[in-house]
Amino acid sequence: MNYKKLIPSQKLRLELLKFLDFLPDKLMIKLQYRLSTGRRLNIKKPTRFTEKIQWYKLFYRKQLMVKCSDKYDVREYVASKGYSDILVPLYGVYDRAEDIVFDELPNQFVLKTTNGSHTNIICEDKSKLDIEVAKKKLNQWLNAWEGKVGREWAYHEIKPKIICEKLLEKDQNNDLVDYKFFCFNGQPFSLYVIVERFLKDGIKLGIFDTSFNKLPYKRIDIPALKRDIKKPRNFERMLKIAKDLSVDFPHVRVDLYNIDGVIYFGELTFYNGSGYKGYVPDEFDFELGKQFVLPKSIN
């Protein structure tokens, strides 16, 4: 069952989740997992990666995860690991959209909220930006009811702000390739390579091993990458960065960019797809699950 097809309106889905906010986390997670995957959640003896993500939400609550989920505070964590050089240049951090002095910003930049997903404003030409519309969007995102959506506790404890960063350059294909490393106790196991984010047909996703060999799996909800992708320059350094940034956690996804050998940090993600996104063939859910050795509960 795909609940997004059943309830196409995101606004309506959020209203429904808001209505159900009173439900205990375990019950709501079981319900959402069943609606999203069509399967019962085995929380006592999870074997799938998607099941272990649900366990992770419920029982592992290391406070450092809050810091590393915040798109601003995580910068301090990255710097503490010796990787200040991969941080995207920061132009400002703001509590409200009204605090942004647009005249002081360069012609190109990105504005984003520190706790959201898909809450970005990409400005490629400031002269064409409707500043009042941008401010309205940013404040709506800051004030949006998040409640317990996904029951991803680490994000719920973030006090949201707005940050403004440098707009990263696209490559010769008008693309910005995203490398997402799935790491377990400091060891990268596999990675997503996401391309064509800005093209008309939408994003494509390939799954690779750490030798950059394409694996015969795909995400069930994203079109598969079919064209050849060359291993990026400095790939071994990317692996080292992923190891160092993931060593403090049983599992985290480390997102990086690589622009002609220059590496930039994207974000750390603890609950990939909220643990509701499947794979074809289904066996990859179990393969990832084998890597995810559940720790003792911290709750």
Side-chain angles (χ1 to χ4, degrees), residues 102-162:
F102 283 88
D103 287 344
E104 296 179 356
L105 296 179
N107 189 50
Q108 296 185 329
F109 52 84
V110 177
L111 289 162
K112 60 179 74 171
T113 58
T114 58
N115 68 329
S117 177
H118 307 296
T119 53
N120 305 329
I121 293 175
I122 298 174
C123 176
E124 296 183 317
D125 183 347
K126 190 166 65 173
S127 68
K128 297 179 180 178
L129 177 69
D130 189 322
I131 291 176
E132 293 308 311
V133 170
K135 286 181 179 179
K136 184 177 179 180
K137 277 187 179 180
L138 289 165
N139 281 333
Q140 284 175 342
W141 291 333
L142 286 176
N143 296 326
W145 176 87
E146 292 294 338
K148 297 179 181 178
V149 175
R151 306 300 169 112
E152 299 174 0
W153 73 275
Y155 296 97
H156 305 154
E157 295 194 12
I158 296 171
K159 182 181 179 181
K161 294 183 175 64
I162 301 164

Side-chain angles (χ1 to χ4, degrees), residues 234-281:
N234 292 340
F235 184 69
E236 294 306 317
R237 185 171 190 243
M238 295 176 78
L239 284 172
K240 177 68 164 56
I241 291 168
K243 286 180 181 180
D244 291 344
L245 296 185
S246 64
V247 72
D248 295 314
F249 309 104
H251 165 63
V252 67
R253 196 189 77 205
V254 180
D255 295 2
L256 302 172
Y257 299 99
N258 188 323
I259 303 172
D260 196 25
V262 180
I263 300 167
Y264 290 99
F265 172 76
E267 64 182 26
L268 298 181
T269 299
F270 295 99
Y271 315 112
N272 178 71
S274 203
Y276 300 136
K277 307 301 183 183
Y279 299 93
V280 179

Side-chain angles (χ1 to χ4, degrees), residues 17-243:
L17 288 171
K18 183 177 181 180
F19 176 74
L20 297 173
D21 201 38
F22 68 93
L23 291 177
D25 287 346
K26 185 180 289 188
L27 178 58
M28 191 60 190
I29 281 173
K30 285 183 175 182
L31 176 61
Q32 287 182 298
Y33 189 84
R34 184 62 178 265
L35 288 173
S36 299
T37 69
R39 297 186 303 268
R40 280 189 176 186
L41 173 62
N42 185 344
I43 203 68
K44 290 184 178 179
K45 294 183 178 180
T47 55
R48 293 173 174 272
F49 175 67
T50 51
E51 290 177 328
K52 291 185 177 183
I53 288 291
Q54 311 313 320
W55 186 99
Y56 208 30
K57 293 178 191 177
L58 288 167
F59 302 118
Y60 193 79
R61 303 196 170 190
K62 187 175 184 177
Q63 200 62 30
L64 182 59
M65 295 167 74
V66 177
K67 180 186 187 76
C68 290
S69 297
D70 186 304
K71 291 181 175 63
Y72 176 64
D73 288 346
V74 71
R75 296 172 64 91
E76 183 179 347
Y77 177 76
V78 173
S80 75
K81 295 291 184 177
Y83 292 114
S84 298
D85 63 302
I86 69 170
L87 292 171
V88 177
L90 182 72
Y91 298 137
V93 56
Y94 318 96
D95 291 318
R96 302 290 301 166
E98 288 76 17
D99 297 336
I100 304 169
V101 182
F102 283 88
D103 287 344
E104 296 179 356
L105 296 179
N107 189 50
Q108 296 185 329
F109 52 84
V110 177
L111 289 162
K112 60 179 74 171
T113 58
T114 58
N115 68 329
S117 177
H118 307 296
T119 53
N120 305 329
I121 293 175
I122 298 174
C123 176
E124 296 183 317
D125 183 347
K126 190 166 65 173
S127 68
K128 297 179 180 178
L129 177 69
D130 189 322
I131 291 176
E132 293 308 311
V133 170
K135 286 181 179 179
K136 184 177 179 180
K137 277 187 179 180
L138 289 165
N139 281 333
Q140 284 175 342
W141 291 333
L142 286 176
N143 296 326
W145 176 87
E146 292 294 338
K148 297 179 181 178
V149 175
R151 306 300 169 112
E152 299 174 0
W153 73 275
Y155 296 97
H156 305 154
E157 295 194 12
I158 296 171
K159 182 181 179 181
K161 294 183 175 64
I162 301 164
I163 57 173
C164 184
E165 293 180 334
K166 176 182 176 180
L167 177 65
L168 297 181
E169 296 178 8
K170 298 175 187 175
D171 62 22
Q172 65 271 21
N173 298 314
N174 195 37
D175 204 359
L176 182 62
V177 182
D178 199 354
Y179 303 89
K180 300 177 180 293
F181 293 82
F182 285 70
C183 303
F184 302 91
N185 290 308
Q187 292 300 317
F189 173 71
S190 61
L191 64 147
Y192 287 171
V193 177
I194 295 179
V195 302
E196 301 178 16
R197 187 182 299 277
F198 303 102
L199 301 186
K200 183 178 180 181
D201 293 336
I203 69 171
K204 308 292 187 299
L205 183 150
I207 301 176
F208 291 72
D209 66 18
T210 54
S211 296
F212 215 73
N213 299 308
K214 193 166 183 293
L215 299 173
Y217 306 110
K218 67 180 289 280
R219 261 269 293 264
I220 200 167
D221 59 321
I222 301 177
L225 170 65
K226 294 182 179 178
R227 63 182 173 89
D228 290 336
I229 296 287
K230 291 182 179 179
K231 181 191 290 189
R233 288 170 53 193
N234 292 340
F235 184 69
E236 294 306 317
R237 185 171 190 243
M238 295 176 78
L239 284 172
K240 177 68 164 56
I241 291 168
K243 286 180 181 180

